[in-house]
Structures are given as structure tokens and as C-alpha cells.
Amino acid sequence: MTINRRQFLTGVLGGSAAAGLVRFSGMGSLLSMAEASASTVPKNGPFVLVTLSGGNDGLNTVIPYNSGTYYDWRGELAIPAEQVLHLGSDGVHEYGFHPSLTTLAALWKQGKVAIISGVEYPNPNFSHFQSTYIWQTAQLSGDPSTGWLGRWLDATGTDPFRALSIGPNLPPVLVGAKQQASSLVDSTSPGAQLPGQNPQFSGAYHQLMTTFSGEVGVQAEQAISGKNLMTVGSKAAAALSREKTPTPASGRNSGDIGNQLGIVADLINYGLPTSVYSVDWGGFDTHSAQAENHAGLLTSLDAAIEGFMSVFPSPVPGKSPVLAIYSEFGRTTRVNASAGTDHSSASVVLVVGPGVKGGFYGATPSFTHLDPYGNLIYTTDFRKVYATVLERVLGIESPGYVLGGSFKPIDFL
Amino acid sequence: MATNPALVAHLYRRAGFGALPAELDELSKHSWTDLVDNLLAGLSGPDPAGEAVPLPHLTSIPQSNVPGYQFNGWDEYNNLISWWLERMIVTGTPLREKLALLLHCQFPTSWSKVGWAYMMYVQNQIFRTLGPGNFETLVQALAKDPAMLIWLDADTSHRDDPNQNFARELMERFTMGAGNYTQEDVVQSARCFTGWELDNVSGEFFFNPYDNDDGIKRFLGRTGRFTGEDIVSIVCNEPASHRWVISRLWSWLAYPITPNAPIVQDFVHGYSKDLNITNLLGAMFNHPAFVSPRAMNGLVKQPVELLVGALRVLGLTTAPFSPGQLAGQLGNIGQVPFTPPTVGGWGFNQYWQSTGAAAGYIQQAYSLASVANLTALENGDGHPAAQVTAALSLIGLPKVSNRTHAALISLAESLKTNNGSWPAQQLVTLALLAPEFAIN
């Protein structure tokens, strides 16, 4: 979906409506809660989960450019050594970013980018849907489950500000058994004239969406979504009407991912008491004509990060976002007959932020010992990344109950 | 024997897009069995009202190949969405349109990748014509459907390098569900679909024997020189597929379940005999659990169901809305026809109850109330209780919670001082947002 950030949500509950809503929403108490907890805010945060849907090609994102095997595998899709943006060696290979990732390369030099290699889970699943589900639930079987951040929501109360997703459909990661994240949408489609300008309407809507004590069931859930919209939406509208996120100085088009991360930057900068943001961007399923498509996708991603990170040049408590950029799987080591690559397994996770400890983490998968399908075998359990976020961003001392086991954090934070 | 109007309303919401308050009186005079039989008969009978909705101009591949021919794919896409919504609104065979919608949810295919509204229409007609019959026949047709061929990458699947996308989704999403096959089954069955191509001149399915792997494959414990058709036949007749198809339909018609839910077993015997969807639907509507409290209160309307139901009770068609307007509003709620987010499709209940969707619903409800003919309320005496009763009656919600009633009364009271015609639009907007209206 396309989001026009300046009109985003304000049509629903903006202007005088937002003012009219504050009366009902208990905003004062929420603000004081946020202030009270400020002293215990971990050094890094909030957490921004960036999902690249479709299966981003890790081998052509962080490129082992001195490996002959890489060139054998990739043929026409291989990025020549003289084009990569040099990152140095992890002890196994010399690596370079894809030439589109100029901002990430600059941030790497500033020590703000962690590259975690070989991340995946055991017994890779090559279905987009199943693999995304495994990543988002941190449950390996693919059976119906709750999201790993949904379980964190279940365990930490009912405040609707805790987690925010951009777009109407919540990804599974943000849905728990009892709690789910809030989400925000665009309201710019034709005919979006709304009754929110009328305080009487807003008051009645609030009454309509107030649950009875102890009420459960689908009607209660419907009411809670409306109530939470008023609480979160009015504040978000205020944030977006005040903040002015700079566009990428390079002038590159950051596309939809730029819009989404721009909204997140505004909300963080405004000081929303939100610990987790989630954005989702697709198009990485590059089965054919990959070279051009992938370069375009990475250019938009890099431009989006350029705009986002320009707002957060150095760590400030509550405004030291940690972006974790992942995809449901990497792509096949070998180029296919359509100048593309197919679904595969282990790939890289990039973590970016003003307070991130840059460097190589995890371990490069073997290029000689592959799985029966010729895919890279993972070296780093994805739940270690989550454990790091839960302990060192969200301040959960023992995240085992969220992850279904104990996983050692990685020192990128 | 007459049927309780509340049950009739329930049946018509689930098996269609809701009965109008005026229709309920007449329908309630009939027995449940007759009502169900009548809905089922509509699955294969003519639908003059639906057929009368003019199909917008849609460009086929052969047309586009004419030198100099130009078309606007975005307009065709939006016009096609309006066309289908209009059919849902006016149809005389509501279960057939509902089934087409549910099959779209079961075989989620998106115009955003397919790129041809015409192909989305062709697939939509397959749902309408073959959906009520034998499930394997339906899947055989969909496996060769041009939209499906593009959607799941038939063009990148070759004898020397089979693409696994279709083979995997066929099993995982369309017929059996995850956990009932191995990666090796995906690899082997993908070989069987090689050489299945879309002809770029005719725009039709084309079998290319030179790019087809006709070797021996091992698949789900069997060994043979299987074709793609063989694979479809095998998976549709697996016990796992019986449970999957039953659980999916029950989840959309009664309440969400998994394939392992005990109630699935109640339908397995009947369905496994003939894979007939009409018979399965009949068995579901006649199952006692279909009218259990869990079913009556346990399912949230999908956004398309809610929109079409709202348009119907308000006496509206798609006519007052510009192409793309209703689609844009649905996009903010998260369900645009012909545009599922992934091959995983959409979710159930909680999936539709995000704060983002709540914002979209406010916008949509106000838009609908703005164009509806609300003369009866506007000319009413303005007495809050009478106005609220009239608004609820209009949208077919005779019984609501004290909460909903009180909220509507408080808005009606605040509106009563207005001069001239009474501002019914706001009251109807709020009524459409009542949690009760979101329940299917």
C-alpha cells in the first residue's frame, strides 16, 4: 500500500478531532506513565523490525567478493569485485556491500551496522508463507502459533502504544494470544471525508468502543480495536503533523519503505511511548531478471535508511532506534535459467542504529559443505537475534518464555 | 414450518451477503431445509440479476498484441473490482457469489503480480462455474489458469530447473496444508509441472513437451511417471486434503478451526466420497454446530462481506462511487478483491480487528452514509430513541447491546438541535461501526 505520510491518519482523527479525543482517552495518564518509566529505558531503543518479504538475496547484499565459488555460483548475477563497497574481512571472506548500499556502507564505517551472517533455523522451509511464519513466531513446526513479539505483548500489559505496525494487516509477529500491536493506516483515498472533526461523534464512538468489565469475545475485540485507535491515532496524528522527517539528502527515491520508515522516525522523534515498530516491504522474490530488480530494491532500502538515520545521528535515551532488517530466507547459491535465484535458506540479518556495535557477527556458512539442495547451512539460530533484542532493547531479563528456550544474546548491542 | 428470523439472518450472512430487513419476513416463513436447499440450488442455477451487471472492458493478451493498441491496466483493475462488488450486491444466487469469494480466499491470486485484469476475471469465472462441483476438477482447471501460471512462476519453471513455487503452494495452501508432505515431495512434483506454460500469443495454457520432465518421480510414497494432472489428482484425494478443505470452508462459514478440530471429522465421510463442494456446503449449513452459540458469535465479517452487506442494507450499488474509491477504502481495511497480500491470503477474526482497520472502517462507514438515501431519518421527528431505532432497523440490527444503544442515543441527543433536516448521516455512520455489525 502507498502511504502519503502527511495526510496519514489525520483525516480520521486529526485536527480538532484529536483535541476532542484527548478528553476521553486518558492521554494524561499515559504520558505520565511514559515519563515515569523513562529512567529505566534501556540504552538502545525503540526496536524497529524491518521485514523484507519475498526472500532477499543475502549473497548479493553482503558479497563475498574474493571467493571464486561465489562467481562460479552466480555467473551473470555476480557483482564484480571492483563494484562492491568494501567492508573488510570476517576472517573467512572479504566482504563488500552491494553497490546500491552506499548509506549502509557509510554507516558501517561509523560502526553503526552489525552484519550477522548465516542466520536461519534448522530444517529450512522454502515456502514464503511457512518460513515467514517460522521467523515471526519463533516456533519451528509451522503450526498455528503466536508471534514472538505477540508473546512479549501478552506478558507486558495492555498499553496499546507498546507496539505499532504500519499498514492495516498485522503481521503474525505482532499478534499474541490476548494482545496485539496497534496499526496505523493511510486515509488518503478518495472520499475520505470523516466525521472525526465532530467532538460529539468522537465521544459517541468512544462510548461505542468501550468494553464492559470482563467482556471477552469477538465483539469485545472489535471494541478494543476502536478504543485503541482513538488512543494511539490521536497521538500519532499529532506527531505526524508536527514532525518533518528529512527526505534522503542524496535525492534517491526511497519509495514505500521510505514512507513507512519516515513515519516511524516521526513517531520516535515525537516521543511516542512505543517500544516496537514494524514495517514490511515486499518484492524480493527475484526468480527472474534479478540484477536490475534487486539493485532497485536495495537502492530504495538504502535511501530509506539514509532518511531515517539522518534523524538519529547519535544515541539519545528513547531515541536510539535499533533497526533489524531480515527476510524469510536467502536465495539459492546458483543463478537459475531465468537470470534469477530461487528460495533458499541461511542469509544475513543487518542491524542498524546509532547505538549498535558495528561489525561481523554470527559465522559465514561453509561454501563447500552445503545441504542436499545445494543451499547454505545456517550457523546462527535466528532466536539469538531475538534474545538480544528482548534482553538489551526491551529489557526482558529472561526471554526464554518468549522464545521457548534459552538463547545466548549476540554482542551487537 | 417457519424459521426464527435471527437464524435466517445468520444463514444469509454466512451463505451470502445478508438478507434485507424486508426480505427476512418472507424468508422466515420457510423451513430451514427449504432455505438451505434454495441457496444450494442457486449454486448451479441461472443468476439473471448477476449476469446483467455489465462486464467492463478488459484487455486480453491477443488484443494487446495488436500494433498500436493501448490500454490502462489500472483502470481495468479498478473497474473489475467494482464489477465483482456489484455482482455480490445484486446477485439472486448469493451463495454462488459467496463461494467465489471464499475460493478467491482459498486460492489467493493477486492482480499486482498477474498484471492482467482480464485473467483475474477468467479465474473468477472458474470459481463461479466450477467452484460448486468437484474440488479436483476445480483445482485441475486452476492449475492451468493463466492468472495462476503467472502468479506462481510457471514461466521460470523448466525441465532442467523446475520452479517449486506452484507445486509447494498447491499442497501447502490450496489442497492439503503444511506438514503433510516433505521438501522432496515438492521437488519431485515440481518436475511434473514443467512444460506448463502460458502462450504469449493466445494468452492460453500451453503444454510444451520439450520442456517437460516426463521421467519417473517419487511422490507421497508413490512412484511413477506422474504428470501434473496426476499430482493434482493425488493431492486432492489425500485424507489431509479432505480435512484441509473442510476446515477452511468451516472457518469462513461458521468459526475458525484447524484441520485437526474434531468437527472436521463430521464431514470427512461425506466429502471424501465425491469431493463435491455443493454437498459439503449443504452438510455444513445443516450441521447443528452451524447455529451453535460459538458459530453465531464467533466469526468476524471479512471486509468485503461487511462492505457488500452495508451497501445492500443502505440500498446502494457501486454506482455512486468512482472507480477505485471502494477499493481504496477496502485497502485501508486490508482486503481488496483480486489483491491478497500473499499466496497465504487473508486471516480470520483478530486479523481484521487491528486499529488500522478500525480507522479504515470509520472512513468507509462515513463514505457510505454520505451517499445513502436517509430521508426517513432526516424527516423523522428527531426524537433520539425513535431515530436510533430507525437507524438500527435500516442496517438490519434489531437487537444490540446496551452499550451500542447508549452510544447511539448519546449521539442522537447531541444532534437533535440541528436546524432543517436531521443529520442522519452521522448516526448511521456510528451504527455501521457498532461491534455487532462487524460480526458475521
Side-chain angles (χ1 to χ4, degrees):
Chain A
M1 74 184 282
T2 305
I3 293 178
N4 180 329
R5 52 186 310 284
R6 285 301 148 208
Q7 293 172 56
F8 161 86
L9 250 183
T10 52
V12 177
L13 293 160
S16 59
L21 292 175
V22 173
R23 205 154 48 93
F24 300 100
S25 66
M27 193 65 70
S29 62
L30 280 163
L31 281 175
S32 56
M33 268 167 53
E35 284 158 10
S37 61
S39 59
T40 59
V41 169
K43 194 166 109 285
N44 279 296
F47 177 57
V48 184
L49 184 65
V50 181
T51 302
L52 304 181
S53 293
N56 178 42
D57 185 3
L59 273 176
N60 267 13
T61 301
V62 180
I63 299 157
Y65 66 87
N66 71 338
S67 160
T69 309
Y70 166 74
Y71 293 94
D72 292 344
W73 282 340
R74 286 309 176 89
E76 63 192 298
L77 281 187
I79 309 288
E82 59 270 24
Q83 290 182 19
V84 305
L85 307 172
H86 292 234
L87 301 170
S89 171
D90 73 337
V92 180
H93 299 294
E94 291 287 333
Y95 277 108
F97 271 137
H98 187 283
S100 297
L101 299 175
T102 51
T103 296
L104 276 170
L107 291 166
W108 168 266
K109 286 187 182 151
Q110 298 169 31
K112 294 175 179 173
V113 179
I115 296 171
I116 311 168
S117 300
V119 189
E120 191 58 69
Y121 50 85
N123 302 317
N125 191 305
F126 304 120
S127 151
H128 293 294
F129 186 79
Q130 285 297 321
S131 195
T132 301
Y133 204 72
I134 291 167
W135 270 91
Q136 298 210 353
T137 60
Q139 178 175 308
L140 303 185
S141 69
D143 289 336
S145 180
T146 51
W148 67 278
L149 288 168
R151 294 193 288 278
W152 168 75
L153 286 169
D154 280 342
T156 55
T158 59
D159 179 357
F161 279 107
R162 288 171 300 159
L164 278 181
S165 171
I166 308 301
N169 301 135
L170 283 174
V173 62
L174 294 173
V175 179
K178 298 184 194 126
Q179 293 284 310
Q180 61 178 4
S182 297
S183 62
L184 300 172
V185 299
D186 166 36
S187 63
T188 57
S189 61
Q193 293 291 313
L194 290 156
Q197 281 70 15
N198 177 336
Q200 283 83 23
F201 184 90
S202 297
Y205 181 77
H206 183 270
Q207 197 176 350
L208 186 72
M209 296 297 172
T210 302
T211 51
F212 307 119
S213 171
E215 185 184 0
V216 293
V218 288
Q219 286 196 38
E221 294 297 326
Q222 189 73 16
I224 288 166
S225 69
K227 185 80 165 290
N228 287 346
L229 167 69
M230 300 188 81
T231 307
V232 174
S234 55
K235 196 87 181 292
L240 294 172
S241 61
R242 194 192 81 176
E243 302 297 330
K244 295 270 181 282
T245 306
T247 48
S250 64
R252 294 176 298 174
N253 182 5
S254 60
D256 183 41
I257 184 64
N259 276 327
Q260 294 191 49
L261 282 178
I263 289 165
V264 172
D266 282 357
L267 299 179
I268 295 171
N269 212 25
Y270 187 82
L272 233 62
T274 297
S275 302
V276 172
Y277 293 91
S278 167
V279 302
D280 193 325
W281 192 45
F284 286 85
D285 196 17
T286 48
H287 286 287
S288 58
Q290 174 176 314
E292 191 184 342
N293 290 336
H294 194 236
L297 290 162
L298 293 185
T299 299
S300 293
L301 176 66
D302 196 68
I305 292 169
E306 181 188 356
F308 183 90
M309 286 293 286
S310 70
V311 186
F312 307 103
S314 53
V316 174
K319 296 183 183 178
S320 294
V322 176
L323 273 75
I325 305 166
Y326 80 104
S327 197
E328 69 266 34
F329 39 57
R331 306 200 72 81
T332 43
T333 47
R334 291 183 184 278
V335 59
N336 66 22
S338 313
T341 51
D342 302 318
H343 306 178
S344 178
S345 54
S347 190
V348 290
V349 171
L350 301 177
V351 183
V352 184
V356 168
K357 290 182 212 160
F360 289 106
Y361 298 91
T364 294
S366 169
F367 280 14
T368 52
H369 176 55
L370 304 174
D371 81 0
Y373 305 105
N375 296 314
L376 299 175
I377 297 174
Y378 84 110
T379 60
T380 307
D381 193 298
F382 70 131
R383 290 165 292 187
K384 289 183 178 175
V385 179
Y386 297 170
T388 315
V389 170
L390 287 162
E391 288 188 26
R392 301 184 185 178
V393 182
L394 300 178
I396 304 292
E397 279 182 26
S398 307
Y401 70 93
V402 173
L403 298 177
S406 180
F407 294 91
K408 192 170 182 294
I410 304 170
D411 285 332
F412 59 79
L413 291 172
Chain B
M1 197 176 73
T3 306
N4 179 338
L7 292 181
V8 178
H10 169 69
L11 176 64
Y12 271 75
R13 280 194 305 272
R14 304 297 172 94
F17 300 92
L20 301 181
E23 296 168 342
L24 265 184
D25 292 340
E26 177 57 33
L27 291 168
S28 301
K29 292 174 186 164
H30 298 273
S31 71
W32 181 266
T33 312
D34 286 351
L35 293 171
V36 169
D37 286 349
N38 188 44
L39 285 164
L40 295 175
L43 283 169
S44 47
D47 179 16
E51 304 291 339
V53 177
L55 186 67
H57 178 72
L58 304 172
T59 302
S60 65
I61 285 187
Q63 281 176 310
S64 74
N65 286 339
V66 173
Y69 182 86
Q70 293 192 337
F71 69 103
N72 185 325
W74 176 250
D75 285 352
E76 290 190 4
Y77 161 70
N78 281 308
N79 289 336
L80 183 68
I81 292 168
S82 290
W83 169 81
W84 193 12
L85 292 172
E86 186 76 12
R87 284 198 72 149
M88 294 185 214
I89 295 165
V90 304
T91 179
T93 55
L95 181 55
R96 179 154 55 180
E97 288 308 315
K98 175 55 92 53
L99 180 62
L101 176 63
L102 301 187
L103 291 173
H104 179 41
C105 297
Q106 174 64 17
F107 298 92
T109 308
S110 176
W111 172 86
S112 66
K113 178 169 174 180
V114 173
W116 296 84
Y118 175 77
M119 290 184 193
M120 301 308 298
Y121 161 74
V122 169
Q123 187 188 69
N124 194 250
Q125 285 290 62
I126 292 175
F127 295 148
R128 208 170 273 114
T129 54
L130 298 182
N134 177 281
F135 187 71
E136 184 194 325
T137 307
L138 170 69
V139 181
Q140 294 284 10
L142 289 171
K144 296 176 179 174
D145 168 51
M148 185 66 79
L149 291 169
I150 296 178
W151 174 234
L152 295 179
D153 300 314
D155 61 326
T156 71
S157 190
H158 305 286
R159 181 170 58 190
D160 297 335
D161 188 12
N163 187 305
Q164 300 162 10
N165 221 359
F166 176 73
R168 180 181 298 109
E169 305 304 350
L170 171 70
M171 292 187 274
E172 178 188 318
R173 304 306 306 172
F174 301 161
T175 63
M176 294 203 297
N180 296 297
Y181 55 90
T182 65
Q183 173 61 18
E184 192 57 27
D185 290 322
V186 174
V187 170
Q188 294 294 315
S189 56
R191 296 170 56 201
C192 307
F193 293 103
T194 53
W196 288 37
E197 297 176 7
L198 179 69
D199 186 302
N200 284 330
V201 176
S202 69
E204 304 287 339
F205 170 80
F206 165 73
F207 178 70
N208 177 358
Y210 304 106
D211 204 8
N212 172 254
D213 179 347
D214 62 355
I216 291 173
K217 296 106 178 175
R218 282 188 56 82
F219 178 67
L220 292 178
R222 302 156 173 86
T223 304
R225 215 172 273 281
F226 297 128
T227 63
E229 289 91 343
D230 293 334
I231 297 298
V232 169
S233 182
I234 290 169
V235 295
C236 289
N237 287 283
E238 282 284 298
S241 175
H242 304 154
R243 292 194 300 272
W244 179 248
V245 171
I246 291 164
S247 70
R248 298 286 282 175
L249 281 175
W250 185 260
S251 295
W252 283 305
L253 294 169
Y255 48 82
I257 55 171
T258 67
N260 297 322
I263 195 164
V264 170
Q265 211 52 40
D266 293 1
F267 304 104
V268 163
H269 180 68
Y271 175 69
S272 63
K273 279 193 295 192
D274 57 10
L275 308 191
N276 184 284
I277 296 298
T278 296
N279 294 344
L280 177 60
L281 291 171
M284 288 182 171
F285 297 137
N286 286 319
H287 194 290
F290 180 73
V291 290
S292 64
R294 183 174 175 190
M296 301 287 282
N297 304 311
L299 188 66
V300 175
K301 284 174 186 159
Q302 298 191 66
V304 169
E305 295 171 325
L306 188 141
L307 170 64
V308 172
L311 289 166
R312 281 173 50 78
V313 292
L314 293 174
L316 291 170
T317 67
T318 57
F321 305 94
S322 64
Q325 190 177 353
L326 293 173
Q329 292 171 5
L330 283 169
N332 283 340
I333 303 164
Q335 188 182 44
V336 183
F338 304 112
T339 327
T342 70
V343 70
W346 296 284
F348 298 97
N349 284 10
Q350 201 180 16
Y351 184 85
W352 302 120
Q353 295 181 312
S354 67
T355 56
Y361 276 126
I362 296 176
Q363 179 193 89
Q364 181 187 66
Y366 191 70
S367 168
L368 301 192
S370 301
V371 296
N373 180 349
L374 305 176
T375 316
L377 274 94
E378 285 159 357
N379 295 341
D381 63 5
H383 187 270
Q387 296 292 70
V388 167
T389 302
L392 288 171
S393 162
L394 176 72
I395 67 164
L397 278 185
K399 282 174 70 176
V400 293
S401 67
N402 292 340
R403 161 182 60 209
T404 293
H405 196 258
L408 290 166
I409 289 285
S410 75
L411 180 62
E413 282 176 345
S414 74
L415 295 172
K416 67 186 175 186
T417 54
N418 196 285
N419 294 325
S421 73
W422 197 81
Q425 181 188 343
Q426 291 199 36
L427 188 65
V428 172
T429 300
L430 195 68
L432 289 169
L433 297 170
E436 290 89 340
F437 196 74
I439 305 311
N440 204 343

